[in-house]
Every structure is written in structure tokens, then in C-alpha cells.
Amino acid sequence: MQDYQALLNEAKAVLQRNTITVTVDGKPYERVIPSRDYYVHQWLWDSAGIAMGLVHSNEEAAFNELVSLVAGQWSNGLIPHIIYNPDESRYYPPADQWQTTGFTRNGIKTSGITDPPLLAIAAEYIWNHASDEQKKRDFIRKVLPSLMAYHDHLKRYRDPEDCGLLTIVHPWESGTDDSPRWDSILSRIDLNMIPTNIKADVDRNRKDIRYHDSQERPTEDDYYRYIYLIELFKDLSWDYTKIIRESPFAVKDILFNSIWERANEALAGLLLTYGNQEEANKYQQRAEETRKALTNTWDEAYNQYCDIDVTQGNHRPIAVPTNAMFMPLYAGAVTDQQLDILLHRLSQADEFCTAYPVPSTAINYRYFDKDRYWRGPTWPITNFFIIEGLKRCRTRHKNVDQRAKLLAARTIQMIRDNGFWEYFDPIDDGTKANEKGMGFNSFSWTAAILIQLLNMTK
Ligand code: GLC
């Protein structure tokens, strides 16, 4: 237990070290950046995860984190995936590349795409864990209108078919940037049609591989495509009615939508505590339609939930065995039969049950790569969703609760053995345990999730 106290203190120290002060709406705010080494701005789903960790040690900081995040909201409701910090140039693409200040307030610079919508979930988590009744009420009152506007924006622009599943238009919106789930769609974007000035810009200015081994990062070709998409959306003036129709990348992502389901439940729950039954019903209904739609993405032939490629009128399932297949657990969208199959796959040593589970891609898949970003390594954030997802099914299957506890314990162990890395090598290949950390060290998400897991298991 003393050991855990030391680990907890280290996690808090990581969050403290990554705290910076910015001025938003003329007011100074403290916010936590993912990493001092490279990710020096505020990312939506990192920030939400960080706030959930912070509430256990510094409630004020947790409130600040989300209040400063929603300050970057566009007037049409979009909450972008990056809120840029002024005076920082260590990240590529730079703030000015997006040309979005016409949509934001007070000259705040942001990206133009979004992230997995974890925000309402974080707000609800803070509501449930903060102890200062007055301050938490003030906090929720402050952020609720932004949460509703964000959810309404997503529903309006990202679900034009009204099918319950939102469409993402850039691999970065999935949070799992270079997952093999996106290979088939990205490969249709012909590199020859990408203008040479875009390629030259990437060649000249891309920064992640200066700090890092390029074997661990997305390939140059993928980067050309990422930036090409941004330039395309900018040419469409960030008009999402057009972007959804014209983007060469458009997907109903099962990870993004599982979070969307849970976020609508969280928002409905918060509205209920304020006695707003009518609005609460609206979001609850959205959660239900998403849950049903997720259940229906199950593919009998592949024994998994599948993302759906909806690019330019397509409707094709993407059957790639990644850890995203476990995400509908988090949304409560699994049937008993699907649950049995998922539990089986989760326990297979040649798929997902590795030394440090759960790898981002099944290890027997032909494009599994233990070093490269979302193509193999284990990430604490996705483990957190799987743990919570298993807990959600605990009454439906014996042993599920035990499985959740075991995965939580192994995730804690992974961080304890190696440190607060961004992601981890999932395989036992004889390398020393303390050499399994990858990406950037002193990573905020990892620290915040560890705090949540320790809190959950105490
Ligand atoms: C990378 C990850 C993304 C994360 C960001 C900041 O781009 O793929 O999920 O939000 O880093 O940590």
C-alpha cells in the first residue's frame, strides 16, 4: 500500500509538472498539457481524461481544466480537438495552419476537427467525485450550456442520416491516429494528387520524428494525407455539411461512437440533477439510438463490431481486429452472445491477452506492429474504457467483474514497472520490464488514468 502511495505521488507530480498558466477571456487559467516534450497544447480527450484524474487531488484544477477547454468552443458548438497555447511552436501543424479564428472567441486558436467526445463523461465524473458542493454546482452550471451546444452540433452535422452513429472525417478525430482500421480508406487517397506544396510543408516542418524514432510514428505518406485533409476542409471553409459529403475519409467509428453513447447518458444525468427532465430525455434517447446502432455493427463473419466506411456514399464495414472492438462494452451495447465472444477474444494469447494487455491491434493480425503508435502498443486510455466497459456488464456474466479488476491491476503494474510513458510495448520478448515504455515520458494521461485506477481499486 505504501508502494501505491509513492506511485500516486509520482502521478500527481507528473500532472503538476505539466501544468501551465494561460490567459483565456482575460482570465488566467491553469491547464495541464499532455507532455512538455511535444504535445504542448490542450487536446480535448486528453484534457477530459486529465480532469478525471485531477479531481482526486486538486478539485479546483479539475474545474479549471474543463472550463479552459470549453473556452475554445466555436460559435457553432464545435469543440475542437486542439486548443493551441500561444507562444508555443513545438507542435506541427501550427495554430495558423487551420485558419479557424473566425469561428472562435477572443482570438483563441484551435484546430478545426474534433476528438472522441469524452467531455460530458469527464464533467459527470467530476460531479460524482468532487466534494465541494457549492463549487461543483457552479462548475456544472458554467459548462452545461457548452456541453449541450457541442452535443447538438455533433448530432446535427455528423449524423445527417439520423442513424445514431456519428461520422468522423479525419483519422485524428478517432484519437487512434494511424490505426490499421484506417488503412483501406487512406490508401484510396492517391499520393500523386496531393499538391507538392503540401508534401514540401510536411517534409520541412513535421516535428514528431525529430523528437522521436520514426519507426514508432506514422509514416510520411500518412502524414501527407493527414495534412491534405486539413487543407481540403479549410478550402471548404470548415462547412461540415460540405465536408461530410466531400471528404475522402468518412467513417462511423465504433470507438468514437461508444464514447458518444456514454457521453449522452452522462449529459442526461447532469441535466436531471438540475431538474431539466425534458432536455435529459432528449440526450437519453440519443444514447439509446446509438446503443442500438452499435449493436448492429456486429459482423457475424468476423465476430466483431466493425467501423463503417461511409466515404462519399459508401457503406462498407471495416473488419480489422483492434481493441476498438471492445469499446461497445463501454456503451452497454453488447448482447449476451456478443459478450461471450468478446471475452473469449480478450483472453486469447495470440490476439489480445499479452504480457501488457490490451494491445491496440491483435498481435496475430498481419499489420500488427509492436512499436508503431496505434498499430500495436498498449495505451492506458483504451484500457480504462475496456475496464469500465467490463464493469458495466458485471451482472450479466460471472467473472466479468474479476476480469475488470485483473485488467486494472495489470495496467497499474505496467505503469509501475516502466514509468509514465505515453504507450507501452505489449509483448514479452525477453526485454526488461522497465524498458517497455514508448512515446513521450512524463505523460499526463498515463498519470491521470493511474490515479483513477488506484481510486477505483482502493
Ligand atoms: C496523439 C494521439 C491522440 C492524443 C494526442 C495528444 O495524437 O494519437 O490520441 O490525443 O497525441 O496526447
Side-chain angles (χ1 to χ4, degrees):
M1 207 57 225
Q2 214 177 5
D3 228 19
Y4 280 142
Q5 193 54 49
L7 195 61
L8 191 61
N9 290 343
E10 265 184 71
K12 289 180 188 168
V14 168
L15 295 181
Q16 189 56 46
R17 254 200 313 279
N18 291 342
T19 303
I20 60 162
T21 304
V22 283
T23 303
V24 177
D25 286 346
K27 281 186 242 144
Y29 281 105
E30 290 197 328
R31 66 166 62 135
V32 182
I33 54 177
S35 122
R36 288 223 170 239
D37 294 323
Y38 179 59
Y39 295 107
V40 286
H41 306 291
Q42 191 176 27
W43 268 258
L44 196 170
W45 80 322
D46 290 65
S47 193
I50 289 165
M52 294 195 259
L54 279 175
V55 73
H56 295 292
S57 59
N58 181 346
E59 294 183 5
E60 200 68 36
F63 303 147
N64 274 343
E65 185 66 34
L66 296 193
V67 171
S68 82
L69 181 72
V70 301
Q73 183 163 36
W74 289 13
S75 44
N76 68 8
L78 176 95
I79 301 194
H81 94 304
I82 303 177
I83 320 290
Y84 280 82
N85 287 326
D87 312 322
E88 266 297 354
S89 57
R90 235 168 316 162
Y91 179 77
Y92 174 84
D96 289 333
Q97 186 137 355
W98 302 86
Q99 287 174 18
T100 57
T101 37
F103 302 93
T104 63
R105 285 164 288 170
N106 303 310
I108 293 175
K109 294 184 179 174
T110 71
S111 69
I113 55 176
T114 195
D115 230 4
L118 198 57
L119 186 54
I121 296 172
E124 189 196 38
Y125 188 93
I126 290 175
W127 172 261
N128 289 337
H129 290 89
S131 56
D132 188 321
E133 290 298 325
Q134 186 55 47
K135 286 199 175 150
K136 79 181 186 188
R137 270 194 179 275
D138 292 347
F139 159 71
I140 293 295
R141 197 170 298 118
K142 205 181 263 176
V143 296
L144 253 184
S146 298
L147 296 180
M148 289 160 73
Y150 178 45
H151 279 228
D152 293 347
H153 170 92
L154 289 178
K155 176 66 188 168
R156 173 167 180 198
Y157 290 102
R158 302 307 186 96
D159 186 11
E161 314 86 345
D162 197 18
C163 69
L165 297 175
L166 305 184
T167 301
I168 61 164
V169 292
H170 195 292
W172 290 347
E173 290 197 315
S174 74
T176 61
D177 308 3
D178 64 337
S179 170
R181 296 189 283 153
W182 316 139
D183 288 357
S184 61
I185 307 183
L186 287 180
S187 67
R188 287 200 308 251
I189 305 179
D190 182 359
L191 289 173
N192 293 319
M193 80 185 190
I194 298 183
T196 46
N197 63 326
I198 293 182
K199 292 182 186 158
D201 181 57
V202 172
D203 291 341
R204 207 171 32 243
N205 296 317
R206 183 179 171 190
K207 299 214 170 72
D208 57 325
I209 44 179
R210 291 191 207 159
Y211 300 106
H212 243 289
D213 187 347
S214 60
Q215 293 303 318
E216 291 182 18
R217 305 291 306 180
T219 63
E220 202 69 351
D221 287 352
D222 280 345
Y223 248 84
Y224 293 150
R225 293 176 170 117
Y226 297 154
I227 303 300
Y228 169 68
L229 288 172
I230 292 170
E231 293 299 321
L232 198 71
F233 303 160
K234 203 160 77 181
D235 286 347
L236 293 171
S237 311
W238 298 108
D239 175 343
Y240 271 98
T241 308
K242 291 188 186 145
I243 293 173
I244 288 281
R245 263 199 317 258
E246 296 180 29
S247 172
F249 182 100
V251 184
K252 304 284 184 192
D253 169 3
I254 47 176
L255 186 155
F256 191 101
N257 277 290
S258 296
I259 293 176
W260 172 239
E261 189 284 339
R262 188 79 172 239
N264 276 308
E265 285 188 71
L267 183 50
L270 288 172
L271 282 160
L272 263 191
T273 60
Y274 278 84
N276 196 338
Q277 180 81 47
E278 206 178 310
E279 286 291 328
N281 287 348
K282 177 173 107 186
Y283 296 104
Q284 193 58 44
Q285 224 168 328
R286 284 192 191 158
E288 275 159 33
E289 67 185 31
T290 303
R291 211 175 311 140
K292 278 196 205 118
L294 278 167
T295 309
N296 291 335
T297 66
W298 184 265
D299 187 303
E300 294 289 341
Y302 291 95
N303 264 339
Q304 68 164 92
Y305 303 98
C306 292
D307 309 293
I308 307 166
D309 171 8
V310 290
T311 310
Q312 295 161 357
N314 278 318
H315 198 277
R316 266 196 296 256
I318 306 172
V320 176
T322 71
N323 60 356
M325 80 166 77
F326 302 110
M327 287 298 294
L329 287 166
Y330 188 60
V334 295
T335 64
D336 288 345
Q337 202 191 352
Q338 291 165 353
L339 180 59
D340 283 342
I341 296 170
L342 287 183
L343 291 174
H344 176 72
R345 296 193 74 167
L346 201 53
S347 65
Q348 293 306 294
D350 63 347
E351 281 210 289
F352 293 104
C353 190
T354 60
Y356 289 136
V358 177
S360 40
T361 300
I363 63 171
N364 61 1
Y365 183 58
R366 62 180 181 280
Y367 297 122
F368 167 81
D369 182 337
K370 78 180 178 59
D371 296 321
R372 204 182 286 279
Y373 228 34
W374 292 97
R375 306 181 75 86
T378 294
W379 292 69
I381 182 74
T382 39
N383 275 12
F384 177 76
F385 296 131
I386 298 170
I387 293 162
E388 287 280 307
L390 290 169
K391 277 169 48 195
R392 192 167 177 164
C393 300
R394 77 178 123 212
T395 55
R396 305 213 349 238
H397 197 291
K398 65 176 181 7
N399 295 337
V400 173
D401 205 29
Q402 198 48 33
R403 298 279 283 272
K405 287 191 180 129
L406 201 64
L407 183 55
R410 289 176 87 172
T411 308
I412 293 169
Q413 185 69 38
M414 174 174 82
I415 299 168
R416 185 155 82 164
D417 287 349
N418 298 282
F420 295 89
W421 290 89
E422 188 181 1
Y423 46 92
F424 300 83
D425 173 353
I427 307 257
D428 180 5
D429 54 3
T431 319
K432 281 198 227 101
N434 66 5
E435 291 172 0
K436 292 293 192 183
M438 285 191 285
F440 292 97
N441 200 350
S442 234
F443 207 73
S444 299
W445 243 1
T446 308
I449 289 158
L450 180 98
I451 295 173
Q452 280 164 273
L453 292 179
L454 287 178
N455 184 68
M456 193 192 282
T457 51
K458 85 178 175 209

